Amino acid sequence: AQKVTQAQTEISVVEKEDVTLDCVYETRDTTYYLFWYKQPPSGELVFLIRRNSFDEQNEISGRYSWNFQKSTSSFNFTITASQVVDSAVYFCALRFTGTASKLTFGTGTRLQVTL
Amino acid sequence: DAGITQSPRHKVTETGTPVTLRCHQTENHRYMYWYRQDPGHGLRLIHYSYGVKDTDKGEVSDGYSVSRSKTEDFLLTLESATSSQTSVYFCAISESYLNTEAFFGQGTRLTVV
């Protein structure tokens, strides 16, 4: 069975703090992809990053960074120096081999950044 | 931005009535999906399509049907709407089946009263 767990339902931080959003996944496949999406208050889903199971290199994009560790089945997302505009719900998702390779989502983490 | 349009964006309907939501894409992507989003559940897959007239069920397909007669359109029908189907519905498209991200439409907020 494929499963994505985002144990943090809601996180509140003060602007400029660093924050890490956790994502733990389960899959028996050796080939799979992990994703992060952002859902701002306006409601749309915005793609942030894709990572395949063979690439454990961490990635940094501006204030965002992602830490992929196969040994712990985790794909955590860190926002450095958070800003109010980072306030959103963040979803981690898993895509595995199979018919149409559906995306399986976690339940999301709501991040609230305040001044 | 990927060309995905969902219609309607908002709808209020009565229990027992059929409802059809439309997803239209201009990207010529093969794969299309319908998800529903509910508090505490994240996004759950209702149905998906891997080509014209090729569709299959997702994890929460009861009470829903889909059709895809053209590459660009994927219709979701609630056969007889119930209050438990009050939700936000998202359509997504994907070019290939694994090594690409899925792009989402703006969502349709459906209220069943």
Side-chain angles (χ1 to χ4, degrees):
Chain A
Q2 325 292 332
K3 187 178 178 182
V4 176
T5 301
Q6 294 180 257
Q8 304 152 308
T9 306
E10 203 160 331
I11 301 175
S12 290
V13 299
V14 176
E15 201 176 41
K16 297 182 184 174
E17 284 185 11
D18 299 347
V19 58
T20 296
L21 310 182
D22 297 333
C23 173
V24 174
Y25 62 92
E26 295 175 31
T27 179
R28 291 192 186 129
D29 282 20
T30 56
T31 301
Y32 53 89
Y33 288 80
L34 295 161
F35 302 81
W36 276 95
Y37 285 84
K38 174 182 180 180
Q39 186 176 43
S42 50
E44 72 272 23
L45 282 151
V46 179
F47 164 75
L48 294 178
I49 190 171
R50 177 184 73 242
R51 172 67 70 221
N52 74 59
S53 54
F54 299 108
D55 181 4
E56 287 194 70
Q57 246 186 337
N58 291 333
E59 178 148 344
I60 298 174
S61 175
R63 296 183 298 105
Y64 295 172
S65 62
W66 291 268
N67 183 316
F68 175 34
Q69 292 194 339
K70 286 180 77 170
S71 60
T72 56
S73 297
S74 64
F75 186 42
N76 296 336
F77 173 29
T78 297
I79 302 175
T80 302
S82 60
Q83 300 177 0
V84 172
V85 293
D86 296 326
S87 296
V89 180
Y90 291 86
F91 291 98
C92 180
L94 168 69
R95 197 172 202 182
F96 52 95
T97 54
T99 305
S101 273
K102 304 150 283 191
L103 272 172
T104 298
F105 283 84
T107 51
T109 297
R110 181 178 298 277
L111 174 65
Q112 186 72 41
V113 182
T114 56
L115 293 172
Chain B
D1 288 346
I4 315 169
T5 304
Q6 290 184 231
S7 58
R9 295 292 313 281
H10 301 272
K11 187 169 181 67
V12 179
T13 192
E14 292 187 350
T15 299
T17 59
V19 177
T20 295
L21 308 183
R22 181 184 184 229
C23 178
H24 178 78
Q25 60 146 329
T26 58
E27 305 295 324
N28 202 36
H29 285 353
R30 179 180 175 187
Y31 300 91
M32 298 186 76
Y33 311 83
W34 276 107
Y35 287 86
R36 60 178 287 175
Q37 182 179 15
D38 304 289
H41 291 278
L43 286 96
R44 294 179 292 174
L45 183 66
I46 306 170
H47 280 280
Y48 61 97
S49 169
Y50 44 98
V52 173
K53 298 191 177 166
D54 290 323
T55 65
D56 206 347
K57 297 178 180 180
E59 60 181 306
V60 289
S61 60
D62 287 348
Y64 301 95
S65 62
V66 290
S67 66
R68 192 169 178 201
S69 58
K70 299 184 290 186
T71 298
E72 57 266 35
D73 289 324
F74 192 32
L75 305 180
L76 176 71
T77 298
L78 287 65
E79 294 140 10
S80 177
T82 67
S83 58
S84 64
Q85 294 176 312
T86 293
S87 187
V88 179
Y89 291 85
F90 284 96
C91 173
I93 64 173
S94 181
E95 184 173 12
S96 76
Y97 82 101
L98 191 62
N99 186 23
T100 55
E101 56 273 24
F103 294 101
F104 285 80
Q106 322 94 302
T108 294
R109 183 173 294 278
L110 177 68
T111 303
V112 183
V113 298

